[in-house]
Amino acid sequence: MAVHLRVPSLRADRPETAVRFGWPSRDARRKALKRAFDVIVAVLVLVVLLPLLLLVALLIVLDAPGPVLYRHMRAGYRGRPLRMLKFRKMRPDARGAYLTLAGDERLTRVGAWLARTKLDELPQFWHVLRGEMSLVGPRPESPVCVARYASDYDVILSVRPGLTGYTQLAFCREASILDPHDPERHYLTDLLPQKVALDRFYAEHSSLRRDLLILAATIGTLVFRQSVAVHRTAGTLTRRRRPTVGERRVSAPAAVVGGGVGRDD
């Protein structure tokens, strides 16, 4: 009498096989790859740019008395408090709005250069190394802003905040657009809702391919001074054509609605 033994298939696309052998899901593999990429890049940047970091620290000390770094409280991954590091850009006795404006008189000479080149963000690679931030993700916001959009941030804070992302690209020149007479009101009522929408879109559609496109666009923005437009519903990135003087005069409000500026604090 012949006995037939049924040998189960070991194909990875069979869900019961994945459960039996404990193979990670596709989402888990993506997150693991993203984290590994974050760590490798953060280590390389901190090692390669160590001389630049030391030079910036020295320039800050020589330019104005006070600490080299400062921390700003933000809402981090899964709502955990994040004391985000930045190189100090302002005088120690600086007071006023928490937003940085174009030509802000509180900036030191070195601080104005740091704000223009975004080098003040370099210490945040330490947060990436520690797992508190990612290279790409939503920009960490203040707890006050998060409280205004609690339901949206339940989704946004489900992913790690990033050094760069959709809002950092679309709003990279916010300092030059904010209303100098009431920057906080302008930010909270006009700009923050746009940022929340973009950050939520990223959190709901994050992928490694999307991250690589955002990183490439970030390099184009920082190195080649290219302006990038972000499509709100599709997340596509395109090079923004600089409007003529006449176009800026006619359509200035539309430029704000389109998301071409961003906070620089």
Side-chain angles (χ1 to χ4, degrees), residues 17 29 38 62 64-65 70 97 133 162 164 180:
T17 305
R29 293 196 302 270
D38 283 347
L62 295 176
Y70 82 95
M133 293 180 66
T164 187

Side-chain angles (χ1 to χ4, degrees), residues 63-100:
D63 188 36
V68 171
L69 302 171
Y70 82 95
R71 293 177 180 268
H72 196 288
M73 185 59 69
R74 301 292 175 90
Y77 183 43
R78 294 177 178 172
R80 299 165 187 161
L82 173 63
R83 299 185 65 202
M84 194 172 68
L85 284 168
K86 300 188 80 168
F87 279 127
R88 178 173 60 87
K89 297 178 295 185
M90 296 186 178
R91 300 188 306 271
D93 59 346
R95 296 291 184 271
Y98 67 90
L99 298 166
T100 305

Side-chain angles (χ1 to χ4, degrees), residues 173-224:
R173 291 180 177 84
E174 176 187 299
S176 62
I177 252 313
L178 281 170
D179 181 358
H181 302 293
D182 195 352
E184 294 185 22
R185 181 205 59 79
H186 186 197
Y187 182 81
L188 292 174
T189 60
D190 294 342
L191 304 186
L192 181 60
Q194 300 174 60
K195 290 187 173 186
V196 170
L198 285 176
D199 282 340
R200 177 159 184 162
F201 178 89
Y202 173 85
E204 293 175 333
H205 301 88
S206 59
S207 68
L208 294 177
R209 179 179 179 274
R210 194 179 301 276
D211 285 358
L212 292 175
L213 291 174
I214 291 173
L215 285 173
T218 301
I219 293 173
T221 299
L222 295 178
V223 178
F224 303 107

Side-chain angles (χ1 to χ4, degrees), residues 18-35:
V19 173
R20 181 178 303 166
F21 288 95
W23 290 350
S25 65
R26 180 178 180 180
D27 184 60
R29 293 196 302 270
R30 179 186 61 79
K31 290 180 179 178
L33 285 173
K34 179 181 175 73
R35 178 64 188 143

Side-chain angles (χ1 to χ4, degrees), residues 1-69:
M1 178 178 178
V3 178
H4 298 282
L5 297 177
R6 184 174 180 272
V7 179
S9 172
L10 297 181
R11 290 175 54 193
D13 58 348
R14 290 177 60 96
E16 65 272 20
T17 305
V19 173
R20 181 178 303 166
F21 288 95
W23 290 350
S25 65
R26 180 178 180 180
D27 184 60
R29 293 196 302 270
R30 179 186 61 79
K31 290 180 179 178
L33 285 173
K34 179 181 175 73
R35 178 64 188 143
F37 183 71
D38 283 347
V39 171
I40 292 171
V41 173
V43 170
L44 289 175
V45 167
L46 290 172
V47 171
V48 172
L49 296 186
L50 180 59
L52 176 60
L53 294 170
L54 295 175
L55 175 60
V56 170
L58 178 61
L59 291 175
I60 292 173
V61 172
L62 295 176
D63 188 36
V68 171
L69 302 171

